[in-house]
Amino acid sequence: MEILNIKKEQSKYEQALALYDNKLNDEQVKKEVTNLLAEKVEENDTLEVKKLLFHCIDLTTLKETDNDESVMKFTQKVNNFDEEHPDMKNVASICVYPCFAEIVKDTLEVEDVHITCVSAGFPSSQTFPEVKMVETSLALKDGADEIDIVLSVGKFLAGDYEAMCDEIEEIRDVCGDDHTLKVILETGALKTAENIKKASVLAMYSGADFIKTSTGKIGISATPEAAYVMCNAIKEYYEKTGRKIGFKPAGGISNVHDALVYYTIVKEVLGEEWLSKQYFRLGTSRLANFLLSDIFGEEVKIW
């Protein structure tokens, strides 16, 4: 009996992935990152770099205990910093749950600090697509300038790229051209460099302005290896499309050295053009105090 070999037609997402080198070896990535950091981190340990890192922070409060009063006080500290240190650039944004966007908008007095909201079923992304759209729309209506969402990791791992990308594209449409969309890959759940590279490409292909490592809500958050893979994906995407995508590590950034590691990776892989809040963010709150302590030469506890 003759056996017919029927080749399945590739989806547009598989065709997009085929343009990139996704066959990555985890051990090789780790070796490259180790060598890069050993050679370059120390030279970036400067006052000016620390000031830039502070300016690139998405100052974040995503606690179960957040309430109107606590978020108002959190925001007021950003106002106070601007008044007390007019010679320093403030943080890039304040990141909160969508239900607090209006509180931040009504309290925030610093013009160049944006309002970021996590949305679309954060942190699991396990809800109805319609709910994701509505939640995002409400966050924008209440004052959000930027939206952070988590791609549907379960759909990605199941190979359902179309459903995953359709959701991102629909949220992109809700955000429009006037609002920044950051897509969180949850790299700790993706586990391998190959998965992280593919998810990076698909998120950018679907309209992300930034790709972000993690939610900080699972055991493994940002890692230098994940950052390295993501930044190389951004570089390759830029070379193919001419479109610059930002990078945001988040989760587990607990000290100044961690921040310098991510700064170094961005600088060495993507170059100086990415070293501004337009294309580089750090999702954290505790890092702000540590950076300021180094900058001022004394212990600082603001947030």
Side-chain angles (χ1 to χ4, degrees):
M1 183 175 71
E2 182 181 1
I3 299 176
L4 297 177
N5 292 317
I6 302 174
K7 187 176 181 180
K8 183 182 177 182
E9 186 177 348
Q10 284 188 323
S11 70
K12 63 179 181 179
Y13 306 105
E14 291 168 326
Q15 290 173 16
L17 287 174
L19 299 174
Y20 296 82
D21 178 14
N22 301 311
K23 297 296 182 182
L24 303 181
N25 179 280
D26 292 315
E27 288 304 314
Q28 181 62 31
V29 167
K30 186 173 182 178
K31 182 179 178 180
E32 290 175 12
V33 171
T34 299
N35 292 339
L36 172 65
L37 298 181
E39 182 181 348
K40 297 291 185 179
V41 170
E42 188 175 350
E43 70 186 45
N44 295 317
D45 190 357
T46 69
L47 184 64
E48 289 307 309
V49 168
K50 290 169 187 175
K51 287 182 178 180
L52 173 65
L53 289 169
F54 178 77
H55 184 49
C56 292
I57 288 177
D58 284 349
L59 196 69
T60 302
T61 180
L62 297 172
K63 302 185 185 110
E64 292 81 359
T65 54
D66 286 342
N67 55 60
D68 288 358
E69 183 179 359
S70 70
V71 171
M72 189 182 300
K73 289 180 178 177
F74 188 80
T75 305
Q76 188 58 50
K77 290 176 181 178
V78 175
N79 295 335
N80 294 343
F81 182 85
D82 208 57
E83 294 171 5
E84 294 167 8
H85 303 282
D87 55 326
M88 267 194 70
K89 292 181 179 179
N90 215 316
V91 296
S93 81
I94 297 172
C95 181
V96 294
Y97 283 110
C99 54
F100 299 117
E102 190 170 15
I103 295 291
V104 177
K105 182 181 179 181
D106 291 344
T107 308
L108 186 62
E109 298 169 358
V110 186
E111 290 185 3
D112 61 344
V113 174
H114 287 176
I115 302 170
T116 299
C117 284
V118 295
S119 183
F122 178 93
S124 69
S125 194
Q126 298 285 26
T127 189
F128 299 102
E130 294 85 355
V131 172
K132 296 181 179 184
M133 307 309 143
V134 171
E135 185 177 36
T136 301
S137 295
L138 290 172
L140 295 171
K141 180 183 73 67
D142 282 354
D145 302 298
E146 304 177 356
I147 296 293
D148 286 20
I149 67 167
V150 184
L151 61 74
S152 293
V153 177
K155 289 184 175 64
F156 173 85
L157 294 175
D160 192 357
Y161 300 148
E162 183 172 2
M164 184 199 83
C165 291
D166 281 351
E167 285 188 354
I168 298 172
E169 289 170 359
E170 288 171 5
I171 295 171
R172 167 79 272 167
D173 289 342
V174 171
C175 290
D177 296 331
D178 297 330
H179 301 95
T180 298
L181 176 63
K182 307 191 200 90
V183 176
I184 304 164
L185 307 187
E186 199 65 289
T187 54
L190 297 178
K191 297 183 178 179
T192 68
E194 182 172 341
N195 280 342
I196 293 168
K197 177 69 176 288
K198 288 180 177 179
S200 297
V201 170
L202 291 173
M204 293 186 288
Y205 180 82
S206 301
D209 296 305
F210 273 75
I211 51 176
K212 176 179 170 182
T213 59
S214 322
T215 61
K217 301 295 185 182
I218 69 169
I220 301 174
S221 293
T223 66
E225 291 77 19
Y228 184 74
V229 172
M230 291 169 69
C231 286
N232 274 287
I234 290 170
K235 180 180 180 180
E236 197 175 346
Y237 185 82
Y238 175 65
E239 289 170 348
K240 292 182 186 301
T241 67
R243 183 167 171 251
K244 286 184 180 178
I245 304 298
F247 170 67
K248 178 179 174 180
I253 305 174
S254 57
N255 56 56
V256 174
H257 182 265
D258 289 342
L260 291 173
V261 163
Y262 293 115
Y263 174 93
T264 300
I265 291 170
V266 172
K267 179 181 177 182
E268 295 302 320
V269 175
L270 292 169
E272 300 275 354
E273 293 180 33
W274 264 262
L275 296 175
S276 72
K277 72 173 185 177
Q278 185 177 0
Y279 297 113
F280 180 42
R281 297 290 180 85
L282 295 151
T284 182
S285 55
R286 55 187 169 177
L287 175 64
N289 289 332
F290 295 133
L291 283 169
L292 292 174
S293 296
D294 271 19
I295 291 166
F296 296 144
E298 60 184 20
E299 187 177 11
V300 174
K301 289 185 179 179
I302 298 177
W303 291 280

